[in-house]
């Protein structure tokens, strides 16, 4: 296969991959961000402490993360058809991609939010701030560098998932690698596809790391803190009177 024959295939496949990953990332952020924050708020010592709700949300997230993506695609075929009218193509692939990414991103959000300094939360509460104010003014802004890194990790994972989705007719670079590189023994095309994926992932990782470092340098991250210190301060131990002891 000549380059003139490969170029249109690779161009369309690259656009399909970016289309699938872009929409799936957007849905994952919209769905995973509140889930991750709820996992923190409903935990023991949280502002919305509710052990039952926390366990239910945690189990849903764990089940979603435990399913291999290929199995998830097959399991969601009926749901995908009801939403898109088909189970083949890039629009259909967005559904399992997003469903698989939401619990993955939620756990990353939970980890990022737990690192916020509890003193900032207490300061907002002392000024009369409610739970929504704490989330909007402290938890999200202070964890933003980590959230950017989490989004980058999610995008990279989705690119890998989209390549696997190509094995069942989802389109994209994975579909090109399977149909032409593997089934038709176009080894050169397959390696070009691999190179394109590597370049795209490297660029996304570089951009995400740069954005996270820039936000961190501007004070967007308050540093790690103990798990329960995030939402409820621990009482300080009584200090000995040094002057009396002397």
């Amino acid at each position: 296969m000549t380059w003139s024959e490969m170029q249109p295939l690779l161009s369309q496949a690259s656009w399909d991959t970016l289309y699938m990953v872009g929409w799936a990332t957007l849905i994952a952020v919209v769905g995973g961000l509140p889930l991750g924050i709820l996992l923190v708020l409903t935990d023991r010592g949280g502002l919305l402490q509710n052990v039952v709700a926390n366990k239910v949300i945690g189990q849903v997230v764990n089940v979603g993360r435990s399913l291999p993506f290929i199995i998830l695609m097959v399991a969601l075929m009926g749901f995908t058809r009801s939403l898109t009218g088909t189970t083949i193509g890039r629009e259909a692939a967005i559904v399992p991609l997003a469903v698989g990414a939401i619990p993955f991103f939620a756990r990353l959000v939970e980890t990022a939010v737990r690192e916020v300094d509890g003193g900032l939360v207490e300061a907002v509460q002392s000024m009369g701030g409610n739970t929504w104010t704490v989330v909007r003014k402290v938890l999200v802004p202070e964890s933003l560098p980590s959230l950017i890194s989490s989004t980058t990790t999610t995008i990279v994972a989705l690119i890998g998932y989209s390549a696997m989705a190509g094995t069942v007719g989802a389109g994209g670079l994975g579909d090109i690698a399977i149909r032409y590189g593997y089934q038709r023994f176009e080894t050169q095309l397959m390696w070009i596809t691999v190179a394109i994926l590597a370049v795209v992932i490297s660029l996304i990782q570089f951009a995400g790391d740069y954005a996270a470092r820039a936000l961190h340098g501007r004070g967007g991250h308050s540093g790690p803190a103990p798990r329960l210190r995030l939402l409820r301060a621990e009482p300080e131990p009584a200090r000995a009177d040094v002057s009396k002891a002397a």
Side-chain angles (χ1 to χ4, degrees):
M1 181 177 288
T2 64
W3 172 249
S4 60
E5 294 173 326
M6 289 188 289
Q7 187 176 8
L9 291 173
L10 292 171
S11 298
Q12 184 61 44
S14 298
W15 166 247
D16 288 345
T17 296
L18 294 176
Y19 180 87
M20 291 186 292
V21 172
W23 277 106
T25 301
L26 178 62
I27 297 171
V29 171
V30 172
L33 182 62
L35 271 182
I37 294 175
L38 278 175
L39 283 170
V40 177
L41 295 179
T42 58
D43 201 2
R44 296 183 186 276
L47 294 176
L48 300 176
Q49 178 175 319
N50 188 320
V51 178
V52 175
N54 183 265
K55 294 297 183 183
V56 171
I57 297 172
Q59 286 301 316
V60 171
V61 170
N62 290 339
V63 170
R65 292 181 62 198
S66 65
L67 292 175
F69 181 69
I70 292 295
I71 296 177
L72 182 64
M73 286 191 67
V74 175
L76 291 176
M77 278 187 175
F79 179 64
T80 300
R81 185 180 290 107
S82 67
L83 288 180
T84 64
T86 181
T87 58
I88 299 175
R90 62 184 191 179
E91 281 77 17
I94 293 172
V95 177
L97 284 172
V99 171
I102 287 174
F104 179 81
F105 184 68
R107 282 300 184 190
L108 296 178
V109 170
E110 179 191 11
T111 302
V113 171
R114 288 195 187 280
E115 294 178 352
V116 177
D117 189 355
L120 297 173
V121 175
E122 296 160 16
V124 173
Q125 288 182 292
S126 67
M127 292 185 291
N130 56 20
T131 302
W132 170 242
T133 303
V134 170
V135 172
R136 187 167 54 92
K137 296 292 187 180
V138 179
L139 298 186
V140 173
E142 288 298 314
S143 61
L144 192 56
S146 295
L147 292 177
I148 294 294
S149 297
S150 300
T151 304
T152 304
T153 301
T154 303
I155 294 173
V156 172
L158 281 172
I159 291 175
Y161 290 164
S162 70
M164 285 189 285
T167 61
V168 291
L173 291 169
D175 179 55
I176 294 295
I178 293 296
R179 286 197 295 124
Y180 291 89
Y182 177 72
Q183 296 177 351
R184 302 185 186 183
F185 303 102
E186 295 286 350
T187 307
Q188 183 181 9
L189 180 58
M190 183 177 67
W191 283 113
I192 292 175
T193 302
V194 172
I196 292 173
L197 286 171
V199 170
V200 170
I201 288 174
S202 298
L203 290 175
I204 291 173
Q205 189 67 56
F206 174 80
D209 291 345
Y210 179 83
R213 285 195 300 268
L215 287 172
H216 193 284
R218 291 166 57 185
H221 185 60
S222 57
R227 180 176 181 179
L228 293 182
R229 188 184 168 194
L230 170 63
L231 300 176
R232 186 166 294 177
E234 296 290 342
E236 293 185 0
R239 297 181 179 178
D241 192 339
V242 180
S243 60
K244 290 183 179 180

